[in-house]
Amino acid sequence: MQPTAVRGAPQWLRGLLSEEFFDACAVHPAERKNDKNHFCADCAAALCRHCLPHDPSHNVLQIWKYASCFVVRVDDLKLFDCTGIQSHAVSDHEVVFLNERTARKRSASAENPCAACARPLSSGHDYCSLFCKFDICAAKNLDRAKTSFHDADLFAVPAHLRSLPLPSHQAPAATPRRPPPRIPTGQTPADATDQPPSSAAAPGPSAAAAAFRTMPRPPPPGRGPAGARRPMRDFFAAWLGTLRSPLLPLLRRALSSSSGSWNDPISSAAAAVEAHFQAHWSALDAAARQDPAQAVCAGDWRSPLELPFLWLGDLHPSLLTSLLRSLSPSPRLLAAADRVDRRIRAAVPAVSDRLRRAQEAFTAAEVAGAADLEAFLEELKAVALEANRLRRGVLTELVAAAGGQQAALFLEALSRFVLSLHDPEVLRRFDHCRPSPGS
């Protein structure tokens, strides 16, 4: 496949056609059957079976091998119009090849050659693979005054993806979505909507879940029309405000009103806090797709006290296991933390090495005058997405291992720690301890 041919493609298609599937997953190097045989179109990233279950709202494809080539089931491929591509029946399923095939000799004199690579096809088909159809249709779109690659004759884009920014092309017109109102710091959802506050009694079984469903949610950076996008600094401030109130108070009240069993108040409150952290990493994914260089660095919204705990744009995953160890001497939880730590120790160097290799390759190419900036940014984006996927997996695994009240206590401690890094009094003491420039 020629990489330059897919350079103007949407990010998900570019990743799908350029990914080397069935390589070992860098996030789960110690697990059995860790081949990357799934692809998330929303994250533009390859996944292994241990990366699943993925976000249920994301479009995840399973990749198969047929005739030593990567194929995907036609029924699973909802984002691409496969009309005209020659399909093959494998185990009662219609599949199509991702990339042009090189096994057989091409022949332009064949009765029905592929329109892109001249490979012989059966009658009634125009292309041998997704790549070949994209190659031809993209050229037609460019000839038609550079029509967006979301043109109706090529892609079938679902509604929830139409507002995503398209690199190097103007996004198709869409109905603007107004961002939800932002909760000011220290203000509850009831205050924000000018409604009388609820009573301070202990929450019922669905109180935390109901509050989480109805609270205003800031849109992730980079999503929505231009007027709805917001800087990561503003998003993170709103995210901290929501964590500070109402999520953390709800979790504390659920803990104080519990007898220690895994009852509904704790379950709902803990699930809301965990989902809030997962939403933060999803926002970082959206920021990485829009500005990969910023996503792997410490953003200007980070506090100076937070910087020593960061790795590739956010908290180091080892911090989560250290926090769990500090809360409970339970042999079962310590064993779970050790297991996750082994996974982190294998994955973190692999991701960091991938970033280092990308930097070295770009530096060498820049010196030689042949640097490919777009390819470098694509690699930075992949590194950021992989780092966030590792954080998401570590948190999910630790919460599942702790379970019940221990999981709620762990999430409460994690919330308090993150909020303390931005507490004005803590930052004042931190500045007071730092030596002055003249000392």
Side-chain angles (χ1 to χ4, degrees):
M1 183 186 65
Q2 302 171 1
T4 55
V6 295
R7 183 168 296 171
Q11 294 174 355
W12 69 267
L13 181 62
R14 192 184 312 168
L16 180 65
L17 297 180
S18 60
E19 183 66 55
E20 285 298 325
F21 294 103
F22 294 92
D23 285 349
C25 178
V27 181
H28 302 94
E31 302 288 345
R32 296 181 57 194
K33 298 183 179 180
N34 63 346
D35 297 343
K36 295 188 294 184
N37 60 348
H38 291 78
F39 183 82
C40 177
D42 294 73
C43 299
L47 311 171
C48 74
R49 61 184 299 179
H50 304 289
C51 298
L52 306 173
H54 199 55
D55 189 323
S57 65
H58 286 197
N59 191 345
V60 178
L61 306 173
Q62 185 167 2
I63 310 300
W64 307 82
K65 268 190 175 181
Y66 174 67
S68 301
C69 298
F70 303 143
V71 298
V72 63
R73 290 175 177 172
V74 175
D75 292 339
D76 295 341
L77 196 58
K78 307 299 184 184
L79 298 180
F80 197 97
D81 181 9
C82 295
T83 304
I85 303 177
Q86 181 169 307
S87 61
H88 306 267
V90 179
S91 299
D92 298 328
H93 291 281
E94 293 290 321
V95 301
V96 292
F97 289 96
L98 294 184
N99 294 303
E100 57 177 329
R101 302 172 63 192
T102 59
R104 291 175 55 187
K105 184 177 179 180
R106 292 154 174 75
S107 174
S109 60
E111 292 184 3
N112 187 40
C114 174
C117 68
R119 181 183 180 84
L121 303 175
S122 59
S123 60
H125 301 95
D126 301 316
Y127 316 99
C128 69
S129 64
L130 266 68
F131 172 79
C132 287
K133 178 170 182 178
F134 168 79
D135 196 18
I136 295 298
C137 292
K140 291 179 180 178
N141 283 342
L142 290 175
D143 291 340
R144 292 200 304 267
K146 295 184 179 180
T147 304
S148 165
F149 282 124
H150 281 270
D151 197 272
D153 67 348
L154 183 57
F155 296 103
V157 184
H160 76 282
L161 289 180
R162 287 173 187 155
S163 60
L164 291 176
L166 303 180
S168 305
H169 294 275
Q170 182 179 1
T175 304
R177 296 183 300 177
R178 296 179 58 189
R182 173 183 166 191
I183 306 178
T185 303
Q187 194 176 57
T188 65
D191 297 329
T193 55
D194 297 327
Q195 295 177 356
S198 58
S199 64
S206 60
F212 182 71
R213 286 195 303 268
T214 58
M215 71 177 62
R217 309 289 293 181
R223 292 182 180 269
R229 299 173 189 169
R230 62 192 313 176
M232 190 66 194
R233 170 187 286 275
D234 293 345
F235 173 85
F236 190 64
W239 183 87
L240 283 177
T242 304
L243 181 64
R244 183 180 295 111
S245 177
L247 290 184
L248 185 55
L250 282 171
L251 182 59
R252 285 172 171 168
R253 284 191 301 194
L255 282 168
S256 63
S257 64
S258 170
S259 60
S261 61
W262 182 243
N263 55 20
D264 284 340
I266 290 184
S267 175
S268 299
V273 173
E274 181 185 0
H276 196 58
F277 277 94
Q278 301 286 4
H280 168 61
W281 291 317
S282 295
L284 290 181
D285 284 348
R289 286 187 284 267
Q290 186 179 11
D291 187 357
Q294 183 186 23
V296 298
C297 302
D300 59 358
W301 62 89
R302 301 294 186 182
S303 75
L305 186 56
E306 196 175 12
L307 299 181
F309 302 97
L310 299 182
W311 171 71
L312 293 181
D314 203 60
L315 295 177
H316 197 291
S318 291
L319 181 109
L320 302 179
T321 56
S322 300
L323 188 59
L324 182 63
R325 283 194 182 90
S326 68
L327 293 176
S328 173
S330 165
R332 179 180 63 83
L333 289 184
L334 293 179
D338 289 340
R339 183 176 63 253
V340 176
D341 258 339
R342 287 194 295 270
R343 169 184 163 192
I344 293 173
R345 285 194 296 268
V348 166
V351 178
S352 298
D353 285 347
R354 183 176 182 179
L355 175 61
R356 177 184 54 79
R357 290 193 300 269
Q359 292 169 334
E360 292 176 349
F362 179 78
T363 302
E366 181 68 23
V367 171
D372 188 342
L373 180 58
E374 188 170 354
F376 177 61
L377 293 178
E378 278 296 305
E379 191 66 10
L380 290 186
K381 182 195 72 175
V383 166
L385 295 179
E386 198 163 358
N388 291 330
R389 190 164 74 248
L390 176 61
R391 296 184 184 99
R392 278 194 290 264
V394 167
L395 180 64
T396 299
E397 191 167 346
L398 292 179
V399 169
Q405 192 172 35
Q406 287 292 338
L409 291 171
F410 167 65
L411 290 167
E412 183 205 15
L414 177 60
S415 302
R416 286 191 290 105
F417 176 79
V418 170
L419 290 173
S420 70
L421 297 178
H422 297 267
D423 183 83
E425 178 60 25
V426 176
L427 292 176
R428 186 191 65 79
R429 297 202 307 268
F430 177 74
D431 289 336
H432 182 71
C433 294
R434 288 195 294 183
S436 60
S439 61

